[in-house]
Structures are given as C-alpha cells and as structure tokens.
Amino acid sequence: MRTMNGYSELTQLGKTVAIPANPEQAKLETFVNPYPASEYVVRLTAPEFTTVCPLTGQPDFAVFIIDYVPGDRLVESKSFKLFLGSFRNHGIFHEECTVYVHDRLKAAMDPKYIRVVGLWNARGGIPIDVVIQSGFLPPNCTPLPLGKIDYRGGRE
C-alpha cells in the first residue's frame, strides 16, 4: 500500500487548478503503478467531451473511452479531466482530436497497450467514430466491450 508520500510528484490533485487554455498547455500527470507485475486493463470514460469545429466554431460532442494496460505508470484522473476540459473551446477535427488524445496519453504513460475511442455525435447527419490503438494487449487482459448506447446515457 502506498502512502501519500508516494504521490508527492502530483501537482494538481487536491489543489484548485484552472482548466488549461488549450490542450498543448495541459499537463498530464502520472504516478507509479503499484502493481507493475500484474497485467490489468484500466478504463477511463468521458461521456461529456466537447470541442468545437475549427472552421465553423460550432460545438462538437463525443464520448471518449480509453482502455490501457499500464506499464510502470498510470495517468492521474484529475490531470486527465483537466486535459480533456482544455479542448472545450479548442478548434479541432474529430480524427485529429482522437489521435492527439492517444498520442499524449501514450507519451505520458508508455503503457503496454492503449486504445482510444472517440464516439462523436452526428454532425450533418453523420457520426464519426475514431479508434486508435498501439502496443500489444496481453492475452490475459480483456477490455470491456464498446457499446455506444451504454456510454450515451441509455441501457440496452
């Protein structure tokens, strides 16, 4: 069991921190995986992700689902929340945004496996869903299934 002293490198948790002005300014913090010898899947779900279209400024909404098998580090959830919040007024296309989230998380944690799924609400009648993954999913790890309905407020 880790003590609070083991988390001294975290600078945002437990403090009042403003949402960064843009994703580039957002700091994704990580902490030491207390069980590096165990392979397990961590799921982060952000059901109310928002950004804006870079051309029209109109709002875009998505559900983000991140599954990862940690290596030596895990992402701290408050810094992840602030990172996602930094997209609120940031103009970016769906595909670029999803890949950017993946790349930042991968760089911050260096996980054994990571899958980032952006389930974007329809724009012009066409929903755009983007999936990017890297690394190798260990054979003993099974991510939860991806059910759009499950993550958009309804239940099957």
Side-chain angles (χ1 to χ4, degrees):
M1 182 75 76
R2 293 180 59 83
T3 64
M4 285 306 293
N5 293 339
Y7 302 112
S8 60
E9 73 247 32
L10 299 175
T11 63
Q12 300 174 89
L13 186 61
K15 298 175 179 72
T16 301
V17 180
I19 294 174
N22 59 60
E24 292 79 22
Q25 292 178 3
K27 181 178 181 183
L28 275 170
E29 295 190 327
T30 64
F31 59 95
V32 173
N33 180 358
Y35 302 103
S38 298
E39 293 180 324
Y40 56 97
V41 179
V42 176
R43 171 164 283 180
L44 303 168
T45 305
E48 299 177 343
F49 181 83
T50 61
T51 189
V52 296
C53 174
L55 299 179
T56 67
Q58 294 295 309
D60 285 318
F61 303 91
V63 174
F64 263 80
I65 303 166
I66 293 91
D67 290 315
Y68 71 96
V69 176
D72 293 331
R73 314 246 352 136
L74 293 128
V75 70
E76 191 280 311
S77 61
K78 180 175 182 177
S79 75
F80 178 68
K81 178 179 76 169
L82 291 167
F83 169 64
L84 293 183
S86 72
F87 285 90
R88 179 73 173 101
N89 295 310
H90 185 71
I92 191 168
F93 286 120
H94 301 161
E95 299 86 350
E96 180 184 2
C97 182
T98 305
V99 172
Y100 183 82
V101 169
H102 168 273
D103 290 352
R104 285 287 305 272
L105 286 167
K106 183 179 173 190
M109 293 186 294
D110 191 26
K112 296 176 184 178
Y113 168 83
I114 185 167
R115 175 179 67 180
V116 176
V117 179
L119 303 174
W120 294 88
N121 288 2
R123 271 308 217 119
I126 301 172
I128 298 175
D129 294 338
V130 182
V131 179
I132 179 171
Q133 60 187 14
S134 59
F136 296 95
L137 184 64
N140 62 321
C141 292
T142 304
L144 297 169
L146 293 175
K148 261 190 172 181
I149 293 170
D150 293 344
Y151 287 99
R152 293 202 175 164
R155 296 284 178 216
E156 291 183 62

